[in-house]
Amino acid sequence: MHFLSETLQGYITAHSENEPSYLEELSRETHLKVIQPRMITGHYQGRVLSMLSKIIGPANILEIGTYTGYSALCLAEGLLPNGQLHTIDVNEELAWIQKKYIAKSGYTNRITLHTGDALNIIPSMKLEFDLVFIDAEKKEYARYFEEVYPKVRKGGIILSDNVLWSGKVVEPIDANDRATKALLSYNQMLKDDPRVETVMLPIRDGLTLSRVV
């Protein structure tokens, strides 16, 4: 997932903003108690998400793919005073850790957890979003994008995570690797879509920023 040397990655993290103590605790508990802890956003990318959110100053944020809540809590740091973050995850078994650390963060009244299929939930949302973070089922990225696009204001940002997929996007593709095929198609779709301006960043496992024009 990391394309820089461990030493250089450590230097970058050490010279970026510190993560709040409750996020450090969340990361530790995720690695101890939750399956596939490598899915957590982590310190450096979390600070990138926080900074982007603070620059945008969103009133409404949508996250697709909550996992244990690390990225949601980072994005919430940039919310306007009365702003709200909605986050969707299909796995109800992670609600206990999400709620625990949302309570520790002080964002309890500003984060709404939704459990279920995002493709069923998003159409029912009657909100305009300033910032969207897509980080769920890779094979559904294109469908997530098409569902959220009409709900993002002009000038709003759609972030897509894991777009480099551990480097598989530039390697020979296994015929049965549907996730990589889907990401290759999605990445090209964003590049070609005149409705957005897109730049791909080599942050962690790849992070794409698409600005609605």
Side-chain angles (χ1 to χ4, degrees):
M1 183 179 292
H2 297 283
F3 304 105
L4 300 176
S5 70
E6 186 175 340
T7 300
L8 191 54
Q9 188 65 48
Y11 182 86
I12 291 168
T13 301
H15 290 81
S16 298
E17 194 72 15
N18 294 333
E19 61 184 337
S21 59
Y22 65 85
L23 288 180
E24 186 177 2
E25 185 181 345
L26 170 56
S27 181
R28 185 165 54 250
E29 186 161 8
T30 297
H31 280 82
L32 287 173
K33 299 179 180 178
V34 181
I35 295 172
Q36 294 182 308
R38 71 193 296 270
M39 289 172 57
I40 196 168
T41 293
H43 179 176
Y44 174 64
Q45 187 179 0
R47 290 305 88 201
V48 172
L49 294 178
S50 171
M51 183 70 77
L52 289 172
S53 185
K54 288 171 181 174
I55 291 169
I56 295 165
N60 291 303
I61 300 173
L62 173 62
E63 177 184 56
I64 305 171
T66 315
Y67 191 50
T68 57
Y70 192 105
S71 54
L73 292 170
C74 294
L75 292 167
E77 294 176 23
L79 282 169
L80 293 178
N82 294 316
Q84 294 289 318
L85 184 148
H86 293 263
T87 182
I88 306 169
D89 201 278
V90 72
N91 188 358
E92 61 184 13
E93 294 180 1
L94 294 175
W96 68 271
I97 194 168
Q98 296 163 4
K99 292 176 180 177
K100 176 179 178 179
Y101 285 93
I102 288 172
K104 285 177 177 285
S105 73
Y107 292 113
T108 301
N109 297 324
R110 305 178 67 189
I111 296 178
T112 301
L113 299 171
H114 301 266
T115 303
D117 187 337
L119 294 171
N120 295 329
I121 294 171
I122 295 168
S124 67
M125 293 181 160
K126 309 302 181 185
L127 293 168
E128 182 179 65
F129 295 102
D130 307 289
L131 176 59
V132 175
F133 183 45
I134 300 175
D135 185 21
E137 177 57 57
K138 309 312 167 192
K139 295 188 291 292
E140 302 291 0
Y141 266 30
R143 294 180 68 194
Y144 296 145
F145 180 89
E146 293 299 342
E147 287 292 342
V148 301
Y149 175 81
K151 298 178 183 292
V152 181
R153 67 166 174 81
K154 185 175 182 179
I157 299 294
I158 300 173
L159 303 173
S160 305
D161 200 17
N162 303 114
V163 292
L164 296 179
W165 206 225
S166 299
K168 292 181 181 179
V169 292
V170 293
E171 297 173 353
I173 306 170
D174 186 293
N176 297 318
D177 188 349
R178 293 175 58 202
T180 301
K181 290 179 181 178
L183 283 169
L184 284 167
S185 177
Y186 179 71
N187 291 341
Q188 191 62 49
M189 182 192 86
L190 292 183
K191 167 66 175 174
D192 296 338
D193 195 329
R195 299 173 298 174
V196 292
E197 297 172 334
T198 290
V199 61
M200 184 180 287
L201 303 176
I203 293 172
R204 199 164 179 254
D205 197 28
L207 181 68
T208 292
L209 282 71
S210 299
R211 176 180 175 271
V212 176
V213 297

